Amino acid sequence: MTRYAPFEDEDLTEQPRVLLVDDDEVNLLLTSIALRERGFSIHEASSGDQALQMISEWLPDVVVLDAVMPGLDGFQTCQELRHMPGYESIPVLMLTGLEDEASIKRAYEVGATDFFVKCNQWSLLAGRLRYLLRASRTRYELERSKAKLARAQDLARMGSFDWRKDGGGLSFSLEGMRVFGMGPNDRLTLRRIIRMMPGEDQQVFRRILRDVLEHGTVLCNDVQVALADGRMRVLHVEAEPEFNELANLIGYTGIVQDVTDRRMAEDKIKHLANFDTLTGLPNRRQIFWRSERAIEHAKRLNHSVAVLQIGLDRFKVINENLGHHAGDELLIEVSRRLRTCVRHSEQVFEGGLDLHGHRSHRTLEAVGRLGADEFVVLLPEVKDPLEAMSVARSILDSLREPMMAAGQECFITASVGVACFPSHGMTVADLLRHADVAMDMAKTQGRNSFMLYDPQLASKGRIRLDLDTALHKALERNELVLYYQPKIDVRTSRMIGAEALMRWMRDGKLIPPGDFIPLAEATGLINDMSMWAITEAARQAREWRDRFGFDASIAVNLPSRLFERADLVDMIEGIIKAQGVSPSAIELEITETGLMKDLQGVVPSLHKLNQLGIEISIDDFGTGYSSLAYLTSLPISELKIDRSFVRDLGTTPQSSAVVSAIIALARALGLRVIAEGVEQVSQMEVLYNLGCQVCQGFLFARPMPAADIDQWLNGQPHDPPLPQIRTDLCGASADGSVLGGG
């Protein structure tokens, strides 16, 4: 560390500090007065010994020494000063009356900065001192900058080097030697550096050097070297050519930097950008890139590429019941099994691949994770779709084996969609989209299967998307309408109620409910649509009451997910009051399956609705999977026999037995019973004989607009007449009574 720092207290001291040393008291006095008058702060010493003593306790900016003094003369004093730590750079001006070259040479040899011949030209002396101070300050700043640069290079693990073409060889700075793990006394040649590289890299680096020297271009390259202690480091070498006045290359100047840590960080960032953190599989970005390269190869080599999209079946159920940690364990195990089904490559691909001479594209094959519970498999070369489907079959077989998650054995299946280039798409986006369509179709057709993409699937998907978009606007465009199907008392052929069924009138055409109701349920629109249906049914009930005295109820289907709303009862009560109808004018139908999904959450709302005077009907009764015990605790008024039991009445004894049991159960609990889906007279007669006298179905009427119900309410005769039970041909119910009257 350099002790001397000229003007480091410049903010506190305006005058330069000068130590003036001379054994002649008169000359010392005159020189001091002259320099003080010219702005210097002067400290005086009459001998060399006194000067050295003062310097050890006080630091001047410049020292002015008389060359000839008794005892320790100026030359010896300067020499002693230069040997004192920290005073190597302090400017020293030697005053001498001697003009011979030997004295001047000796002054420089002992370390004097400059010399000045004694005279009375004090302005010249002051000017010479100011010049020395400026030069000293410049030198000091240069040394400090050099020290900072060296420190910065050390911190950056960087050093500089020079190479001369004329035989000067390769020379490194001290910092450059440290980069290679060497000291200042070691010898480092280009040959030795190349020998530090791995064998496969040496020839490549030699070829790069030959090209750089031949064309006089910039060298910029990363090399891997093994240091003397065995550590492998990555060094960045960068050098620029130097030319003489004739534009001939004379050498190179450059830097060498240890970038191992940076490369490791870059590799980690690159891995995070290209691989899934949970499973370690390539992510969507990496799979997309690999697929693009695979398609490029396929175009050149005239083969196919296959993309398999894999979606786990019912993974959400496992996640919800065992927790997300168990779900993560399951995903990791799934990724492991998928890797065993293909030649999976962990390599990060970003640059171009050699497209000629060999089939390097096969290294692109991999399993990737698209997100959540969806994976993708890229097969960069397949002979035909059958080969891809064979891989899909292997994947399903592998996943069928039991897995452990959270210490519990689990079974999981998957649905796989397959799309191939060029048959099913020319771009990666097309292949992924079509594989997704095929996977969705595999799910809808029972899961645990694979399906090859078919263009017809895409058209269905586009139609579904078009319906989904239009359905969101159906309510605000008033495109939804209610159709009504009468409930018939088979003894009198009279309408004793009706069921409101939702229809969608789009562009003048009716959309079948099977096409849009599942969409509405999947998107959550079914909630708003159901509240609209209740409102419209209540309005229609009021209109029929005012015009025809209609006092029966209109049944409206209520989806189970509506019970998740805390304000459901208040909303329905508000609708009834706003439409000015009795609560008994509306009957709510709930499917048995929907009821049992969240029985505890549904029961309180059902009781509140019943207290308002609204009756509850269980639709599709007998198709659920629950105990019948809930019937005794719920405020139910009616059971509806599912059409699946009605369809086989009169043909299979089992259906008659089930229907008879449902009717008997309803009778025991004091509930009404109605059969839906009645299409044949024989079905009506069997139902009546078993004790059900209220029916609904195509045998009597199809769902129709509200205007067409007017003739029913007017009492006008039907053409043809409605089917009716002839009591002289049909027997009574088992106990002689008739159930289900409206």
Side-chain angles (χ1 to χ4, degrees):
M1 180 177 178
T2 302
R3 178 180 172 184
Y4 174 69
F7 301 107
E8 63 180 357
D9 296 328
E10 196 170 23
D11 293 337
L12 301 177
T13 305
E14 296 181 357
Q15 296 178 322
R17 299 173 300 239
V18 178
L19 175 59
L20 184 61
V21 185
D22 197 332
D23 64 312
D24 187 338
E25 294 184 0
V26 175
N27 194 44
L28 181 63
L29 178 62
L30 293 175
T31 306
S32 297
I33 293 173
L35 292 178
R36 284 192 180 98
E37 290 176 349
R38 287 164 175 77
F40 292 90
S41 175
I42 304 299
H43 294 258
E44 301 171 356
S46 58
S47 67
D49 291 326
Q50 185 182 4
L52 293 176
Q53 179 63 33
M54 292 177 64
I55 287 176
S56 65
E57 300 173 354
W58 168 76
L59 181 65
D61 294 320
V62 62
V63 177
V64 180
L65 281 173
D66 184 15
V68 180
M69 293 185 296
L72 202 65
D73 63 13
F75 300 106
Q76 295 171 325
T77 302
C78 182
Q79 191 172 24
E80 289 290 334
L81 178 64
R82 290 304 185 210
H83 286 95
M84 295 175 64
Y87 292 92
E88 299 87 350
S89 300
I90 188 171
V92 176
L93 180 66
M94 191 75 71
L95 292 179
T96 177
L98 307 175
E99 297 184 11
D100 59 290
E101 293 183 3
S103 297
I104 296 173
K105 181 180 180 181
R106 186 183 175 192
Y108 284 125
E109 286 177 350
V110 297
T113 308
D114 203 353
F115 74 96
F116 190 81
V117 178
K118 285 185 177 181
C119 65
N120 293 329
Q121 297 179 349
W122 308 117
S123 295
L124 291 178
L125 177 60
R128 182 64 61 86
L129 289 177
R130 287 192 174 90
Y131 170 78
L132 287 180
L133 288 171
R134 283 195 303 271
S136 178
R137 181 58 182 264
T138 301
R139 179 182 177 183
Y140 170 75
E141 291 295 339
L142 182 62
E143 289 181 350
R144 188 164 68 170
S145 297
K146 184 179 178 181
K148 287 181 179 180
L149 177 61
R151 179 58 178 162
Q153 289 182 343
D154 273 343
L155 292 175
R157 299 178 183 177
M158 178 190 295
S160 59
F161 66 88
D162 284 295
W163 176 79
R164 300 293 99 184
K165 190 177 181 180
D166 58 4
L170 185 65
S171 61
F172 282 88
S173 66
L174 179 61
E175 293 78 20
M177 297 295 290
R178 289 176 186 157
V179 170
F180 287 92
M182 298 181 179
N185 297 324
D186 294 321
R187 176 170 173 76
L188 185 59
T189 63
L190 180 59
R191 186 186 302 272
R192 185 174 180 181
I193 293 174
I194 294 177
R195 287 177 178 174
M196 296 169 71
M197 300 179 187
E200 61 272 15
D201 293 348
Q202 293 182 14
Q203 189 63 33
V204 175
F205 189 67
R206 285 193 180 96
R207 186 171 66 249
I208 292 174
L209 288 180
R210 282 197 298 268
D211 291 342
V212 167
L213 289 175
E214 181 179 349
H215 299 94
T217 57
V218 173
L219 172 65
C220 185
N221 198 43
D222 287 352
V223 296
Q224 190 175 20
V225 298
L227 303 187
D229 57 7
R231 290 181 301 153
M232 295 299 298
R233 309 300 290 177
V234 178
L235 305 183
H236 176 71
V237 181
E238 193 167 330
E240 291 188 350
E242 293 184 0
F243 302 93
N244 60 16
E245 61 276 6
L246 300 177
N248 295 322
L249 179 69
I250 59 175
Y252 273 85
T253 300
I255 58 98
V256 58
Q257 183 179 15
D258 187 335
V259 295
T260 308
D261 294 342
R262 188 182 73 190
R263 282 286 297 273
M264 291 176 63
E266 289 175 352
D267 290 344
K268 185 174 182 180
I269 293 172
K270 188 182 298 183
H271 192 276
L272 291 174
N274 290 278
F275 289 84
D276 176 56
T277 55
L278 176 65
T279 62
L281 296 177
N283 58 16
R284 180 183 292 272
R285 176 180 181 272
Q286 177 69 188
I287 285 293
F288 202 96
W289 191 95
R290 293 187 188 210
S291 300
E292 286 181 333
R293 303 291 83 75
I295 290 176
E296 291 177 11
H297 281 280
K299 291 177 179 178
R300 292 173 179 268
L301 303 178
N302 195 29
H303 61 249
S304 294
V305 176
V307 172
L308 284 64
Q309 187 152 334
I310 304 155
L312 302 184
D313 300 330
R314 300 186 308 107
F315 176 73
K316 185 179 179 182
V317 176
I318 296 176
N319 228 10
E320 290 176 348
N321 287 277
L322 298 182
H324 290 283
H325 180 70
D328 290 346
E329 290 182 12
L330 208 62
L331 291 173
I332 293 172
E333 175 61 17
V334 167
S335 68
R336 186 191 67 80
R337 295 192 185 187
L338 292 177
R339 278 195 292 260
T340 63
C341 298
V342 299
R343 296 185 296 270
H344 177 74
S345 172
E346 301 284 358
Q347 186 176 352
V348 178
F349 290 100
E350 286 190 335
L353 295 175
D354 184 6
L355 300 179
H356 307 284
H358 64 289
R359 296 185 177 273
S360 61
H361 62 278
R362 290 179 176 175
T363 60
L364 295 169
E365 184 168 331
V367 180
R369 186 183 179 203
L370 296 183
D373 59 349
E374 290 192 355
F375 298 83
V376 64
V377 170
L378 170 64
L379 303 177
E381 181 179 354
V382 293
K383 293 181 294 186
D384 50 43
L386 292 178
E387 184 178 348
M389 294 171 72
S390 176
V391 175
R393 187 177 293 107
S394 300
I395 288 172
L396 294 181
D397 292 340
S398 176
L399 294 180
R400 285 192 187 102
E401 297 297 323
M403 304 182 188
M404 297 298 296
Q408 182 173 333
E409 190 177 55
C410 299
F411 289 87
I412 195 166
T413 59
S415 300
V416 183
V418 182
C420 296
F421 167 88
S423 305
H424 304 142
M426 300 299 293
T427 66
V428 180
D430 289 340
L431 292 180
L432 288 175
R433 183 173 65 255
H434 294 162
D436 184 56
V437 170
M439 181 191 71
D440 287 342
M441 188 57 63
K443 284 183 178 290
T444 59
Q445 295 190 0
R447 306 176 187 271
N448 193 22
S449 62
F450 60 87
M451 181 165 288
L452 184 66
Y453 173 76
D454 187 329
Q456 293 183 355
L457 299 179
S459 62
K460 291 180 180 179
R462 284 191 292 270
I463 292 173
R464 179 185 174 93
L465 179 61
D466 181 44
L467 282 177
D468 187 12
T469 303
L471 187 58
H472 277 77
K473 301 179 180 179
L475 269 175
E476 60 186 66
R477 292 176 177 174
N478 296 319
E479 294 178 348
L480 296 180
V481 295
L482 285 185
Y483 272 40
Y484 299 88
Q485 188 173 34
K487 297 179 180 179
I488 305 299
D489 185 336
V490 298
R491 298 170 303 178
T492 63
S493 297
R494 290 181 57 249
M495 186 180 89
I496 61 169
E499 180 181 2
L501 299 169
M502 198 180 305
R503 297 292 186 265
W504 181 13
M505 185 68 70
R506 184 187 181 198
D507 298 331
K509 297 181 180 179
L510 279 180
I511 306 298
D515 289 347
F516 74 88
I517 293 297
L519 266 179
E521 292 175 342
T523 58
L525 287 174
I526 193 67
N527 286 354
D528 292 337
M529 294 166 63
S530 297
M531 298 310 298
W532 170 86
I534 294 173
T535 304
E536 179 62 18
R539 185 200 64 77
Q540 190 62 60
R542 185 191 70 235
E543 181 180 331
W544 285 342
R545 180 198 65 191
D546 296 342
R547 292 176 57 195
F548 307 109
F550 179 77
D551 60 355
S553 62
I554 298 177
V556 181
N557 290 298
L558 195 67
S560 59
R561 64 188 304 169
L562 255 180
F563 287 96
E564 298 173 3
R565 299 188 59 158
D567 59 347
L568 173 63
V569 177
D570 294 335
M571 290 180 64
I572 294 178
E573 183 180 11
I575 290 172
I576 290 173
K577 290 181 178 179
Q579 297 300 327
V581 296
S582 169
S584 61
I586 296 297
E587 181 182 37
L588 299 179
E589 290 189 359
I590 306 171
T591 63
E592 184 181 17
T593 303
L595 176 68
M596 297 311 299
K597 283 183 179 179
D598 184 19
L599 186 60
Q600 298 302 319
V602 170
V603 170
S605 296
L606 291 182
H607 280 287
K608 292 178 181 178
L609 290 170
N610 187 252
Q611 290 170 5
L612 292 177
I614 298 174
E615 293 189 335
I616 308 298
S617 173
I618 302 298
D619 195 9
D620 302 336
F621 186 78
T623 61
Y625 52 85
S626 62
S627 167
L628 299 178
Y630 71 88
L631 293 177
T632 61
S633 60
L634 292 181
I636 301 170
S637 302
E638 180 181 89
L639 296 182
K640 210 168 187 182
I641 302 173
D642 186 66
R643 66 181 66 247
S644 61
F645 301 126
V646 174
R647 181 178 59 247
D648 297 330
L649 280 178
T651 59
T652 62
Q654 292 85 355
S655 294
S656 298
V658 172
V659 171
S660 179
I662 294 174
I663 294 172
L665 177 65
R667 180 186 301 117
L669 296 175
L671 304 177
R672 297 192 307 272
V673 64
I674 179 174
E676 63 179 350
V678 180
E679 299 182 0
Q680 300 174 13
V681 173
S682 61
Q683 295 169 345
M684 176 189 70
E685 292 173 346
V686 173
L687 285 166
Y688 181 78
N689 287 330
L690 292 176
C692 176
Q693 67 186 44
V694 180
C695 296
Q696 177 185 342
F698 291 174
L699 179 63
F700 310 100
R702 292 178 177 271
M704 62 189 76
D708 294 347
I709 298 290
D710 288 357
Q711 64 170 328
W712 293 72
L713 299 179
N714 274 329
Q716 299 175 5
H718 297 277
D719 185 24
L722 293 178
Q724 184 177 352
I725 291 293
R726 295 178 59 184
T727 55
D728 58 331
L729 297 178
C730 297
S733 60
D735 62 351
S737 63
V738 179
L739 298 178

